[in-house]
Structure formats: structure tokens, C-alpha cells
Amino acid sequence: MRFYRDRFAFVALVTFLLVGTNAPAERPGPRHEESVVQPFLITFDRHEVQVIALLANHPEYDAIEVMVTRRTGKPPLLRAIISQLDGTQIDFINDKEMARERAAVLTGRQTLYRPMQYEEGERNGLPTMRLRFTSHQGERIVLSFEAFSPPSPELGGFINPGEHSADASLPVMWANASAFANPSSQVTVDGVSYQLRPAPQPGALLFIYSTDFLIGVLREGELGLWLAWAPRRLAVGERWLYWDNLRNLHQYEIVGIDGGLLTLHKTTTSSFLPEEILTVQRVEGKFLLRSVRATGRLGKQEDIPPAPQGFTLRLSTEEGFSLSTDEHENLVTGTASREVRGITTTWTLLPVDPPWTQSRTVRASVSRYGPWHHIENTIGED
């Protein structure tokens, strides 16, 4: 508990310093009556490597995969995923704090901390990989991959997740280059080797290695935000500050104003919620969300990466929406609506194209109780 008390004290000090730069002593506290809260729970990651094994004969598991993010001066951040035959997914992360926060916020899936052993290399100029970790059932899982051919853009591109996590996420995944596995690759569970599905490439297996793997996801979950400070006026440099229910600080800073359009730079002290660039439109004293661009960077950031870098949700004034990743525009499109009922505002996204997205309706609501805001996101059919 000492760690959380220390972090809370540190963030409280940051809040004091930030608020103190804007607030005259005689009138502390929030100023602007209308708050700005981004209602969608979004994650976006740039992984150097992603590997997924499609199993053919396991009684419970459909696929096992790992996503790898290299870190300067640290071992790589690893997220292993077990996809079960019923479509549910379980996350395993080798970072305790990130696993704790994801488990608390992303209520649509189980998340566990696990130490992992990861190795990568080359054989005959082709990539190899080995991952070892322990499952939620205490099983010893080993993924051993050797590429059949060099990773190529022709085998990459936009990825259909099938039924994986269909009732908990709307993912947008793009692999810049991929390769199938050669027959020496294998997956073992408690020492038992399980058969892998055949790939379209003769002699290869559906054990897929991808490089420069981008994944932006709208996720099911809940988050509470307490408004600690609001701007005295709408001007560049002013900001909204919130505490969340995990004692993280969320800052929405105004970085641009163009008539009724505001550009906000959102950063947090969360271990996994990424930096976001928001566009909101002020209509009759209310703020309407028009776009969210998640950059994938974590923590306090001063500079802003140029568009279109990131995972972007656009909400048009014609009741449509689109999802894009970097320069790959409109990978998912559909209709959008916004409804206000009492203290609750709800956005509903109905995906239309591609067809596999149609069962993944997104509902993102914000309920406001004075300074307290409750965010709730659900994914699934009507």
C-alpha cells in the first residue's frame, strides 16, 4: 500500500502545482461549469513483434499469442493472450502495475500478471521466437516459432479477429509485414504438443509472425473521474484536471481554438491509457466530441505527434464514424448517434463495414453527479 500512498501524494503535489499556476488565491476550485470527458475507453499500441498460433485440436483454446514492445534499458513489455473456443480472451502481462490497472478498468476480460521468458533470434536469416509463461490454470505454455519465409507486406495488412473477444472489444489491427511458420514450430501445454492449422501457403502453418504491429481497440470497461479543476476561461493553456478511481491524474489541456472548435491534449498518469488528441465542438454551451486520436504514448508528454499518427476515431456531423490507424484511413466505418437522458450522455457506434464488425456495437456513456463522472463502455450486439 505504501507505493499507492506515495504515488497519490506525488500526483496531489502535481495537481497543486498545476492548479496553482492558474488560480487566484481568493477563489480556488473549478471554474468552467461545463466539463469535458472523453467517453470512449481506447487503447493503442505499437508492437515491434506479434506472434499468434492458431490451434487445431486443443479442447479449450483456439489461439495463443504474444505482443512484444521493446523498452530502452528494460526487458520488453509482453502481453500474452489465450483465446478460448467460446471467443473469450484472457490477458497475461509481465508488468504488475499495468496488469493491475487493466484488470480494474477493462471489465470485459480477465487480466493477470505473469513473469515470462521471451527470446528472439534468426536461423538461416529468418526470424525465430520462443515464449514461456504459465496460464490461468497453472499450465506451462511454450510457443516456439521459426519462420517459413521472410515477413512480407503481402501477408500483412488489416486483420480480421474472427470471434475473438467479440463481446468485449472492437479492435483495429494492422500488420506491416507477416510470415507463416515452418513445420518445426510448435506449441506445447504442460509438455503436450498441439497441432497447428495449415496456412494457405503450402507446407506452412497458421503460426503467424508479424512486425510493426499496430492495434487500436475500443474496449468494454468502467472508469470514474473526479473533477479537481476546470478553466477560468476557454483559452490556450487552460485545462481540466481529474482524479480517477485508481488515483491517476487526467489532464485535458486546451492547445488550440478555431472558432467553436477546441483541440485538447489529454495525458494521464495511468500505466496503460494512452495520450490522446481531442477535437470538441462547442454548441450552445455544450462540448460535442468530434475526434479522438490516441498516439500510443504513455505518461506526461509535452510535444504532440503530427496527424495522422495514431489510432483515430472520427465522429462526423452527418451521424457517421470511422476508425483509422496512421495513414490507413477508414478501416472501420458505420453510423453514430448521441443521446442525452438526464445526467447521462451516451454515444452509440454501429459498425457497418467490414461485415465482421457488425456484431460489435459500441456504447460509451458518461453519467455526471456533480464533480463525479462515471464512464461505462459496452461492446456487443443490440
Side-chain angles (χ1 to χ4, degrees), residues 207-230:
F207 193 171
I208 306 167
Y209 178 98
S210 298
T211 60
D212 298 325
F213 187 85
L214 312 178
I215 175 170
V217 189
L218 299 177
R219 295 190 179 275
E220 186 166 291
E222 296 184 42
L223 185 67
L225 295 175
W226 180 271
L227 181 61
W229 181 255

Side-chain angles (χ1 to χ4, degrees), residues 10 20 57 91 122 167 218 227 231 247 259 268 276 296 313 322:
F10 171 75
N57 65 338
D91 284 337
E122 285 189 356
D167 60 352
L218 299 177
L227 181 61
R247 298 181 175 178
T268 79
E276 295 174 349
L313 163 65
S322 67

Side-chain angles (χ1 to χ4, degrees), residues 284-306:
E284 297 179 352
K286 304 292 183 180
F287 295 111
L288 302 182
L289 184 66
R290 291 302 177 208
S291 69
V292 183
R293 177 164 60 95
T295 68
R297 303 190 305 176
L298 301 174
K300 175 65 176 175
Q301 305 288 346
E302 297 298 335
D303 64 315
I304 299 176

Side-chain angles (χ1 to χ4, degrees), residues 49-54 64-66 68 117-132 142-152 155 177-188 196-197 199 201 204-211:
V49 172
Q50 185 259 7
V51 184
I52 182 168
L54 284 301
I64 303 175
E65 65 187 293
V66 63
V68 182
Q117 294 177 293
Y118 174 78
E119 305 160 18
E120 58 183 23
E122 285 189 356
R123 180 170 295 176
N124 300 322
L126 300 176
T128 64
M129 181 281 306
R130 175 166 289 192
L131 173 75
R132 300 178 182 90
V142 181
L143 275 65
S144 300
F145 174 91
E146 293 187 16
F148 185 84
S149 58
S152 68
L155 295 179
S178 299
F180 297 125
N182 73 26
S184 65
S185 303
Q186 64 175 345
V187 173
T188 64
L196 296 163
R197 299 178 210 170
Q201 192 170 358
L205 300 172
L206 271 181
F207 193 171
I208 306 167
Y209 178 98
S210 298
T211 60

Side-chain angles (χ1 to χ4, degrees), residues 230-249:
R232 293 177 294 171
R233 57 196 176 92
L234 298 182
V236 171
E238 295 283 352
R239 67 201 74 187
W240 287 262
L241 298 175
Y242 301 85
W243 293 104
D244 72 21
N245 53 300
L246 301 177
R247 298 181 175 178
N248 290 309
L249 182 68

